[in-house]
Amino acid sequence: MNNAIYNFPLPDNELVLGYKKDSPEREQLEKEIQRQLLNPIEIPLIIGGVEVRTAQTGQVRMPHQHSHILATYFKAGEKEVQMAIDAAMVAHRVWSDLSWTVRASILLKAAELISGKYRAVMNAATMLGQSKNIFQAEIDSVCETIDFLKFNAYFISQIYEMQPRSAYNQLNKMEFRPLEGFVFTVSPFNFTSIASNLNMAPVMMGNTTVWKPATTALLSNYYLMKIFQEAGLPDGVINFIPGSGALIGKVALASPDLAGIHFTGSNATFNHLWKQVALQLPHYKSYPRLIGETGGKNFIFVHPTADAKEVAVNAYRGAFEYQGQKCSAVSRMYVPLSLWPEVKSELIRISSDASMGNVTDTGNFINAVIDEGSFDNCMSYISYAITSDDAEIIAGGHGDKSIGYFVEPTIIVTTNPKFKSMEEEIFGPVLTLYVYDDDKLQETIELCNTTSPYGLTGAVFSRDRVAASYMCEQLRYAAGNFYINDKPTGAIVGLQPFGGSRASGTNDKAGGEFNLIRWVSPRTIKETFQPATEYRYGYMME
Ligand code: NAD
């Protein structure tokens, strides 16, 4: 047994490559895109390391050209979900006992594989399957995925170092036990890196998982799973089971061995899972840990001293990059009347300049929304605004789903601060804006704080640093990730740990030690060197 004490150093964040024309990374990526376009694949379930094919299949299509099929996938039935739980329980015996440095080394190898050998594969799959442009795919499926893996290895060494003091006649130790059972991981479509981390954070801490990936992110998620296997992840540590969320969730939550849920997705789904767990509580061996990051109604609040151009550029990027489908995307904004003409003309200028289309055309800033359901949902909010007396559309407002699910980045200006699209999460390229009187700053801050049930991200723009600090105080619970003079998207692992409160989730800060610590159930071990031999205390014998 090698008993050296290891220390994983604080890593650097993965560098974002430039993908300029004729660069080697661009050439490789273009080749890989062609390969994936021309060769549709089969996506089996992977249970206990074994590929499983069922009678139920579905298709993975490109959101920006929905006639194009990228893959055929197999769907889990009840039997396969049970097989996945059993495989996770068997793998738990070995994995939870394995030296943590071996576990960390497997994660670090996965990071290296993504950084080099599979960089183009991950990017191409995320671009084609989830309709991300090169930059959006690179910062997500490559850089953030690698950062999560590397930073987790660093944070685990910090966690294991946390030990209690030992006093006279005793030795105290803290053992960081993995949870007793399996972790059910449920991932969203919008970030490949989140799908990776939802599994790899509990896995790093010695747990095993049953993974329900989002159907609309299956291509990249399947490649991820294959990379984890190549990195040396033992069979059964992660069990990949695509299929219906409702069916898989029902079977997973019925197991007495459910030790935790690691979830990212909508509020409605997380609330449903939480309620189901509550209903079946007496049936579980332990209280399942429920960790979920959910929706948002993220804001930019503009102070009258702000720079109009900075506001417009950051609002546009924050609201419309990846078609507004980032959990952190700006979707409501408060602008003072004095700055509005300048902010408005700048927003309109950028809107008429930014182009929308296929991900393979590098000139496009905007691509397609994820599927028909999302397209219809966005268009219903746009139609509502068109027919409302208290709203006006100043940019965008159209959509076309004949070839791909394209929704124009749309800016709604409303005179009603409680307008439907100021309150509800749309999760698409729709930004609603309320112009306030400069002398109503305090009331408008209060409106911003109370308009939505969420508390994920928010930003203030101000050149008056004292005012910025005041707004930061006033909006203390309105966002778990708060920005001063920046867009509220683009959190980086190790720099801005991510998560929101209120209805936005349990705020366990993905990519940090707060999250990792939820995946252990510590055991305190006290050893006494000279046990007592007399039951009476000294004063009783006087
Ligand atoms: P979603 O809730 O529709 O789906 C998330 C996952 O849950 C999918 O894999 C889906 O198949 C699964 N699912 C659905 N019903 C289920 C059930 N009954 N049992 C088990 N699993 C079930 O969310 P989405 O559309 O994939 O993602 C968009 C949402 O995710 C938005 O609300 C967004 O704000 C949120 N999100 C939040 C964060 C964050 O960090 N706060 C990050 C990314 C996305």
Side-chain angles (χ1 to χ4, degrees), residues 455-459 479-483 488 491 496-500 507 509:
L456 191 52
T457 75
N481 281 64
F482 196 85
Y483 295 78
Q496 298 98 21
F498 191 79
N507 198 11
K509 296 294 186 210

Side-chain angles (χ1 to χ4, degrees), residues 460-518:
V460 294
F461 277 80
S462 169
R463 278 184 289 194
D464 176 341
R465 189 58 185 80
V466 175
S469 164
Y470 174 75
M471 294 188 289
C472 184
E473 263 314 300
Q474 295 285 303
L475 295 167
R476 191 172 186 207
Y477 285 100
N481 281 64
F482 196 85
Y483 295 78
I484 298 174
N485 293 328
D486 203 349
K487 66 184 168 57
T489 58
I492 293 178
V493 178
L495 301 180
Q496 298 98 21
F498 191 79
S501 58
R502 293 184 177 164
S504 290
T506 53
N507 198 11
D508 291 287
K509 296 294 186 210
E513 57 276 66
F514 297 119
N515 180 287
L516 290 177
I517 217 146
R518 299 298 310 274

